Structures are given as structure tokens and as C-alpha cells.
């Protein structure tokens, strides 16, 4: 019998996870995409991370929303639609919704349908007057808003959690352009981002004593073993996370502790001792660099709120009206 060689484009069409993993592990610098962390166990581990003493971002952003919620809420006009990008849990939106009691709709958008449907059900129970209209979509791709949100007199986007930090600069700019198209002219955008700070604090946040972040990182290998039939030996890889000052980012890697071979989808991947798989970047911003990124694609900075230690920022932006092209006679 002739074995049919399945090409990378075929695998890509059938199973993008398989194709991305193979391409990443066969690249000269091995890497995996951070979006694949979030299977059921990865999402559970991330929830655990947000409660760790060393991981300050979630706690700090929640406090900012509690302290300045009523001020931030003033950016949401009566009758507007609030669109949350990559929402997952509604706990942050709830703090904003408190300050914006009369909305046309709250539209949580997430790739994981199960999660937003169950969160939406909870919110509908607590706010029966508020139309909660989840959209299952990739926030980096164009998608349509529900009619109520599209026809509302105003739209406000909300992108908390410093998720913007997990994008490369060009991806962040693409996301911001996509958000502008989805929200439309005159809209407002509220973004939560982690700020540049002392390396010791950043290094501790991604190397917690309980090793939950290490488990979260290694869970990617568990997922690859389970879903793609690979044979990664977890005890042969170690979690590494460090702040790269030149690039203003925390990098996460999985380092091979010795020379080894791993089988995956009929391929053999060779690892040198110490060689790493780069699994995540978490970019840290300054208020100025965030404003420059957003301003560069038409989002003009309004107001920004930071905590006393300047660990985190919630920044707001208004979509600049496109300059009218006047034709000279
Ligand atoms: C989801 N994201 C903003 C987290 C971060 O801090 O970049 C993911 C994470 N990775 C390790 N710890 C938390």
C-alpha cells in the first residue's frame, strides 16, 4: 500500500492546532502560540494564577474598576451598547455595568461559546432588564454585532485583562483596527494594560512559589500529547519566565533539560539540551507607548487611570473621525 503523505496545508485545513504546533516545533526557533494555553485545564489554571499573591494584574485592574468605575462609566452614554472583547468571565464588566445602568445591550465576544453562554446566563439572572447578547467570534477577525448593538446611538468597546499584552505590536494594531471597524464611527474603547515596572516584580509574577504558572505553561505539552498523540515527557522540560528589558516583555519558555527526541504526528522533533520552546510573550506598556500604539491607528487618547504603584492602567480612547477628503476644483 502507498502511504499518502499529508501536506502541511491539508493538516492546516483539517486541524489548525496540529498545523500550528508542527510548524512551530519545526521552526529554527521553536515556538508555540499562546492562544493554545486555554483548553479547559489551561483556563482553570489561569483562573488560579489570577488569585496568586505574586500575580498582581487582575487584582490591580479590579481595584481600579472598583475605585474609578463611576468615572469610567461616564464614558458610556445612556442607550449605548457595551461590547467586551475576549470576555471570558463577566466579573470586570459587572463593575462597569454598575456605573452604566441604562444600556441598549451588553455584548460579550469570545471564541469559547460555552464560557460566554454560561456567564451570560448568570448576568441575565442578576440584570433581567439588560439585553445580554453574546457573540462567539475571534476578536481579531471581522464579525457582525447584533442588530440592537449596531443600531444603538453609541458603542463602547471594553478590552480588559491586559490581553493586548499577549499580542505582538502588529497584531495589537490589527486588533485595534478591527475593533474600530466593528464599533464604528465615534465609538469609545476602554483598554486594561499591564505597565512596565521593576523586573523583580515581573519575574515573581510569572515564577510563583506554588508553581501554578509552571503547570499552566507545561499544560500546553499535556494538551499536545493528548490531542495530537505526541510523547513529550513532562519531567524533561522546565518552565522558564523572565523579563526581557530591551523588548519590554515577559517571555515564557519550556526548556529541554537534556538532549531528546519527541514524536508527533509521524514526525521526529530533536531537542538540544537547554533548547527552549518559546510559548508566550506578555508585553508591558507605558501609558505613552499604549497611547502611541492606539493613536497610530486612529484611537485618540482620552483619560487613563492608574493605581498608586503605577502597576496597571485602564486607558480610554475615542475613534478619530476620518479626515474628509476635499477635492480641489
Ligand atoms: C492572559 N494574559 C494577560 C496573561 C499574562 O499575564 O500575559 C497570561 C499569563 N501567562 C502567564 N501568567 C499569566
Amino acid at each position: 500500500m502507498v502511504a499518502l503523505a499529508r501536506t502541511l496545508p491539508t493538516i492546516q485545513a483539517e486541524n489548525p492546532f496540529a498545523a500550528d504546533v508542527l510548524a512551530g516545533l519545526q521552526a529554527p526557533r521553536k515556538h508555540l502560540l499562546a492562544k493554545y494555553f486555554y483548553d479547559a485545564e489551561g483556563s482553570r489554571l489561569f483562573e488560579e494564577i489570577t488569585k496568586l499573591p505574586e500575580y498582581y494584574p487582575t487584582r490591580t485592574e479590579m481595584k481600579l474598576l472598583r475605585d474609578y468605575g463611576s468615572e469610567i462609566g461616564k464614558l458610556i452614554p445612556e442607550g449605548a451598547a457595551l461590547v467586551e472583547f475576549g470576555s471570558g468571565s463577566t466579573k470586570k464588566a459587572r463593575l462597569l455595568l454598575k456605573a452604566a445602568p441604562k444600556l441598549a445591550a451588553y455584548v460579550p465576544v469570545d471564541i469559547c461559546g460555552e464560557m460566554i453562554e454560561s456567564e451570560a446566563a448568570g448576568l441575565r439572572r442578576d440584570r433581567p432588564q439588560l439585553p445580554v447578547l453574546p457573540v462567539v467570534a475571534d476578536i481579531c477577525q471581522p464579525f457582525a454585532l447584533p442588530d440592537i448593538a449596531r443600531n444603538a446611538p453609541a458603542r463602547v468597546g471594553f478590552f480588559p485583562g491586559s490581553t493586548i499584552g499577549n499580542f505582538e505590536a502588529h497584531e495589537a494594531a490589527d486588533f485595534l483596527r478591527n475593533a474600530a471597524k466593528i464599533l464604528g464611527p465615534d465609538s469609545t474603547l476602554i483598554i486594561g494594560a499591564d505597565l512596565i515596572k521593576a523586573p523583580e516584580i515581573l519575574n515573581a509574577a510569572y515564577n510563583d512559589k506554588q508553581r501554578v504558572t509552571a503547570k499552566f505553561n507545561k499544560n500546553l505539552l499535556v494538551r499536545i500529547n493528548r490531542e495530537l498523540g505526541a510523547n513529550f515527557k513532562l519531567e524533561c522540560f522546565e518552565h522558564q519566565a523572565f523579563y526581557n528589558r530591551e523588548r519590554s516583555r515577559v517571555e515564557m519558555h519550556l526548556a529541554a533539560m537534556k538532549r531528546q527526541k519527541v514524536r508527533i504526528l509521524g514526525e521526529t522533533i530533536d531537542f538540544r539540551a537547554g533548547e527552549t520552546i518559546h510559548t508566550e510573550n506578555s508585553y508591558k506598556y507605558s501609558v505613552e507607548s499604549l497611547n502611541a500604539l492606539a493613536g497610530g491607528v486612529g484611537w485618540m487618547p482620552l483619560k487613563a487611570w492608574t493605581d498608586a504603584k503605577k502597576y496597571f492602567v485602564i486607558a480610554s480612547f475615542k475613534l478619530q473621525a476620518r479626515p474628509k477628503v476635499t477635492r480641489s476644483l
Side-chain angles (χ1 to χ4, degrees):
M1 223 175 28
V2 183
L4 283 178
R6 288 157 79 246
T7 60
L8 201 57
T10 317
I11 299 174
Q12 175 81 55
E14 287 169 3
N15 184 348
F17 175 53
D20 288 342
V21 167
L22 258 192
L25 294 180
Q26 289 176 330
R29 287 182 186 206
K30 294 183 174 60
H31 60 272
L32 292 168
L33 302 181
K35 66 177 178 183
Y36 292 126
F37 278 133
Y38 302 93
D39 64 352
E41 177 64 359
S43 303
R44 192 194 66 73
L45 286 167
F46 178 64
E47 270 307 301
E48 228 180 281
I49 288 175
T50 64
K51 294 174 195 138
L52 292 168
E54 299 94 334
Y55 193 78
Y56 59 84
T58 313
R59 196 173 307 120
T60 312
E61 186 176 36
M62 290 290 282
K63 181 161 168 26
L64 282 172
L65 285 167
R66 262 184 230 110
D67 290 353
Y68 300 108
S70 52
E71 215 180 301
I72 302 169
K74 289 196 186 115
L75 295 169
I76 311 173
E78 229 181 88
L82 182 67
V83 179
E84 182 171 357
F85 294 98
S87 57
S89 125
T90 53
K91 68 179 182 211
K92 290 173 191 161
R94 281 168 183 265
L95 293 172
L96 261 194
L97 289 168
K98 253 196 213 166
K102 287 194 190 131
L103 283 184
Y106 166 61
V107 182
V109 185
D110 202 287
I111 195 85
C112 177
E114 247 171 73
M115 174 86 167
I116 45 171
E117 282 304 340
S118 79
E119 287 285 315
L123 189 55
R124 280 189 203 110
R125 269 195 300 277
D126 300 343
R127 293 277 302 258
Q129 313 295 345
L130 174 71
V132 180
L133 310 172
V135 172
V136 179
D138 179 343
I139 58 166
C140 296
Q141 299 296 326
F143 61 86
L145 288 177
D147 287 348
I148 302 182
R150 222 181 23 232
N151 300 328
R155 274 152 301 283
V156 178
F158 183 41
F159 192 37
S162 198
T163 308
I164 195 158
N166 296 127
F167 293 152
E168 295 302 311
H170 70 277
E171 293 167 334
D174 286 348
F175 163 77
L176 292 166
R177 277 193 211 96
N178 194 41
K181 272 194 211 130
I182 287 157
L183 297 171
D186 248 10
S187 50
T188 303
L189 185 58
I190 300 165
I191 300 178
D194 197 12
L195 291 172
I196 295 168
K197 58 187 62 63
E200 309 83 78
I201 295 162
L202 289 165
N203 287 331
Y206 293 82
N207 290 286
D208 60 283
K209 289 213 180 82
Q210 293 171 57
R211 305 197 54 74
V212 183
T213 311
K215 225 172 160 190
F216 171 74
N217 199 5
K218 280 195 181 185
N219 182 57
L220 199 42
L221 302 185
V222 177
R223 180 175 182 185
I224 293 170
N225 281 351
R226 185 184 61 239
E227 292 185 24
L228 306 179
N231 63 351
F232 277 105
K233 290 198 186 89
L234 298 195
E235 65 282 10
C236 294
F237 285 84
E238 74 173 7
H239 164 76
Q240 289 184 351
F242 55 89
Y243 183 56
N244 179 334
R245 203 194 282 259
E246 284 74 46
R247 307 182 102 158
S248 305
R249 70 189 193 193
V250 171
E251 296 184 12
M252 286 213 312
H253 295 255
L254 287 163
M257 291 161 75
K258 58 177 188 190
R259 219 175 114 202
Q260 58 195 287
K261 290 181 191 300
V262 173
R263 292 282 297 166
I264 171 168
L265 297 165
E267 305 283 332
T268 301
I269 312 290
D270 287 303
F271 285 89
R272 301 185 308 274
E275 186 178 4
T276 77
I277 311 172
H278 191 163
T279 51
E280 185 182 59
N281 285 322
S282 189
Y283 284 88
K284 308 304 167 190
Y285 285 90
S286 62
V287 176
E288 295 72 27
S289 65
L290 184 63
N291 285 347
L293 171 74
V297 292
W299 288 101
M300 290 301 112
L302 293 173
K303 190 164 178 182
W305 294 266
T306 59
D307 54 294
K309 291 182 178 161
K310 302 236 177 323
Y311 276 10
F312 203 92
V313 65
I314 295 181
S316 60
F317 304 88
K318 186 99 194 150
L319 190 58
Q320 197 183 34
R322 264 205 240 136
K324 286 209 180 83
V325 182
T326 44
R327 256 190 275 155
S328 51
L329 293 172

